[in-house]
Amino acid sequence: MSGAPLGVAQVFERILGSRSELAINAYDGSTSGPADASIGIEVRSPLAVSYLLSSPGDLGLARGYVSGQLEIIGDLHTVLHALATQVDELSTRDRLWLLRELGPRYLRRVPLPPEELPGRLRRGLHGLRHSKARDSRAIARHYDVSNRFYELVLGPSMAYTCAVFPAEDATLEQAQAHKFDLVCRKLALKPGMRLLDVGCGWGGMVKHAAEHFGVHALGVTLSAEQARWAQRDLVANGLGERAEVRHLDYRDVPETGFDAISSIGLTEHIGARRLPSYFAFLSSKLAIHGRLLNHCVTNPTTRVPHRSRGFIDRYVFPDGELEAVGEIVSAMQDNGFEVRHVENLREHYAATLAAWCANLEAGWPEAVAEAGAGRGRVWALYMAACRLAFERHELELNQVLGVRADVDGAAAMPLRPDWGV
C-alpha cells in the first residue's frame, strides 16, 4: 500500500539529502526543513524539476539556478557547502527515482539558458580542440563579457588569477600586488630586462613589472576587450614606452630572447596533450639562463580526468583542462626547463574567490545591468563552487619556477631561494 504522494520539496530533500539547517520551499506549496532556516532552496517552477531530470551531475541544478527557476536563500557558498556531497553524487538512479515520484510530465525537452555553450561535439564545428580558432572563440566567450563587469568583480587590480595574501587581514588589492611582486622576484627581474607575459589578461603583471622593476614587458591575450583595456591603462599610467599588450595568440609572438616569461592562468586553456609543445615553445623564446614562472590551477592527483565537464565546461571555461602539478613539472622538465621551485597556494585562491564573491554581491545591481542576471548568476555560482573546491582540496594552485640552463648545466640560480614569501 503506497503512502501519500510526496510534494516537490520532499522529493528534493530526498535527492539532495536531509539537512536540518536547510529549508526547501516549492511552487506546489510543499516545504521541508525548519521554517526559520537562514539558508535554503526555493524551487520556483516545474522547469527546475525538468532541468534536474534531464541533466547529469551538477549541470541540472546549475541550469535551474542560472535560469532563475531555482533560487538560493542565504549565502550561496554556505548552501553549496551543505549540499556538496549530494550534488557530487547525484546519479542516474536518483533521477529515475525522482521521475517515478513526480511523474513523467517533468521529463520533457526544455530550453537551455542562453548563457550555456553547446556541447563539445557542436563546438568541434569551430575547429579542433585547442586549435587557434577554437581557443580564440572560447576565450572571447568567457572574457569579452564586459570590462565594467570584471571591474566590479575583480576590483581595481583587474587581476583574474589567484592572489597571494601576505597576511590574513590583507585586502584583495594588497594580495594581488603581492602576487605580482612575488612572481617578479621569482623571475629575478631587473631594470632593462625583457619580459613576456602570456595570457596577460588585463595587463596586471605587465604593468607591475614595468612600473616597479623597470623591465620592458610584452603581454599577449586572445581577448580583444582585455587588450584594449590593458593598453589604455598602460598609456594612462605613463608606461607606454616600456610596456605593451597585444591582442595575439601566444603562438604568434615573433620576438625571442626574452629574459623571463610569466604564464599566470593560461595553462588551464592549453590542454594536456599540448603541454609539451607549449613548454618547448616558451623555452625557445627565452635567453639562456632565462626563467619561466608557470602559475595555474591544478588537479590534486594524476587520477582526476583532465577535461572539465558539466557546469564549468558549458558555462565558464569551455574546453578547459587541468593537470596535476606532477604533470606540469614533467612537461617542463622534458621540454627545455630545469625545475627549481614549486609552491602550492590553494588556500590563497579560496580567499581570493571569497573576495570576488563579496565584490559581486556588493555590486550586484550594476553587474546585472552590465552583463544580465543570467551571466551574473553564472559567475556567482562558479566562484562560490570553486572556492569550495579549493577549501575541500579538490583543486590546487601551483606556481612552478623553471630555468633554461646552458649546455654546461649552469643555471645562474641562487644557492637558496632569495625571493622571500
Side-chain angles (χ1 to χ4, degrees):
M1 181 175 177
S2 61
L6 296 176
V8 170
Q10 284 75 41
V11 171
F12 264 73
E13 182 181 37
R14 285 277 298 273
I15 288 291
L16 299 178
S18 177
R19 299 280 179 169
S20 60
E21 75 274 23
L22 189 68
I24 300 177
N25 303 310
Y27 60 90
D28 65 349
S30 61
T31 63
S32 70
D36 60 348
S38 61
I39 58 172
I41 295 174
E42 181 181 337
V43 186
R44 289 181 162 179
S45 77
L47 185 56
V49 182
S50 295
Y51 278 136
L52 186 64
L53 275 173
S54 63
S55 311
D58 63 359
L59 189 55
L61 290 172
R63 285 170 172 167
Y65 177 70
V66 170
S67 65
Q69 305 306 309
L70 195 69
E71 187 60 273
I72 298 298
I73 302 168
D75 179 64
L76 180 56
H77 171 263
T78 305
V79 172
L80 292 179
H81 187 274
L83 297 176
T85 302
Q86 283 72 25
V87 173
D88 289 346
E89 297 175 355
L90 197 60
S91 66
T92 300
R93 188 170 68 177
D94 292 326
R95 295 199 304 279
L96 289 175
W97 179 86
L98 184 66
L99 178 63
R100 186 174 66 250
E101 288 295 324
L102 293 178
R105 67 186 182 279
Y106 292 101
L107 189 60
R108 57 196 172 98
R109 191 178 183 89
V110 291
L112 299 182
E115 294 78 15
E116 181 169 328
L117 277 173
R120 290 169 180 164
L121 291 178
R122 286 185 59 195
R123 273 180 250 158
L125 299 174
H126 302 291
L128 295 175
R129 188 180 182 87
H130 299 303
S131 64
K132 290 182 180 179
R134 186 159 158 179
D135 279 353
S136 179
R137 188 179 181 90
I139 293 298
R141 172 78 181 192
H142 183 81
Y143 293 101
D144 292 350
V145 175
S146 159
N147 283 331
R148 179 56 187 157
F149 176 83
Y150 280 108
E151 287 173 352
L152 291 167
V153 174
L154 305 179
S157 71
M158 287 295 279
Y160 195 20
T161 49
C162 175
V164 178
F165 289 77
E168 290 188 4
D169 60 351
T171 67
L172 176 62
E173 290 306 302
Q174 290 169 334
Q176 290 292 12
H178 188 76
K179 182 265 299 293
F180 289 133
D181 207 67
L182 178 62
V183 172
C184 290
R185 286 182 277 118
K186 286 184 175 181
L187 291 172
L189 296 184
K190 295 179 176 57
M193 282 185 168
R194 296 172 61 228
L195 168 72
L196 172 64
D197 185 37
V198 293
C200 68
W202 288 271
M205 176 64 187
V206 169
K207 180 180 178 181
H208 189 93
E211 183 176 6
H212 297 285
F213 287 80
V215 303
H216 296 273
L218 169 63
V220 294
T221 173
L222 281 176
S223 167
E225 287 297 312
Q226 286 181 336
R228 279 192 287 269
W229 191 98
Q231 191 59 35
R232 284 197 302 266
D233 186 58
L234 291 172
V235 172
N237 284 276
L239 298 170
E241 294 298 316
R242 292 204 312 272
E244 177 189 2
V245 168
R246 298 177 193 164
H247 177 213
L248 187 69
D249 192 297
Y250 77 92
R251 290 165 283 195
D252 294 326
V253 173
E255 294 92 339
T256 190
F258 291 95
D259 299 292
I261 297 177
S262 51
S263 175
I264 305 175
L266 175 61
T267 315
E268 298 91 334
H269 301 284
I270 297 300
R273 293 179 61 185
R274 292 183 180 268
L275 284 183
S277 60
Y278 171 66
F279 287 118
F281 178 83
L282 296 185
S283 178
S284 74
K285 292 295 178 180
L286 276 172
I288 297 299
H289 300 163
R291 300 183 192 182
L292 165 71
L293 190 288
N294 195 82
H295 167 124
C296 69
V297 179
T298 53
N299 284 326
T301 74
T302 58
R303 296 184 294 275
V304 179
H306 292 139
R307 295 187 178 187
S308 62
R309 57 185 175 82
F311 167 67
I312 292 293
D313 183 62
R314 291 294 190 97
Y315 285 88
V316 186
F317 290 116
D319 294 338
E321 295 186 41
L322 301 181
E323 300 80 32
V325 65
E327 296 173 282
I328 300 290
V329 168
S330 294
M332 290 177 64
Q333 288 177 320
D334 292 344
N335 293 281
F337 291 97
E338 179 186 359
V339 173
R340 301 301 297 249
H341 191 266
V342 179
E343 183 174 9
N344 187 341
L345 297 165
R346 74 175 176 90
E347 291 89 355
H348 293 263
Y349 216 161
T352 303
L353 286 155
W356 289 343
C357 289
N359 284 347
L360 178 58
E361 183 177 0
W364 182 255
E366 189 177 353
V368 169
E370 280 290 323
R375 186 64 60 187
R377 284 172 172 264
V378 167
W379 256 248
L381 181 59
Y382 145 62
M383 292 190 299
C386 284
R387 174 188 171 188
L388 187 61
F390 283 104
E391 291 172 344
R392 296 174 71 196
H393 195 205
E394 295 169 354
L395 292 173
E396 294 180 359
L397 188 289
N398 279 279
Q399 287 189 349
V400 183
L401 179 65
V403 63
R404 186 181 176 196
D406 64 29
V407 293
D408 296 320
M413 294 289 295
L415 289 177
R416 297 295 301 153
D418 60 357
W419 46 80
V421 294

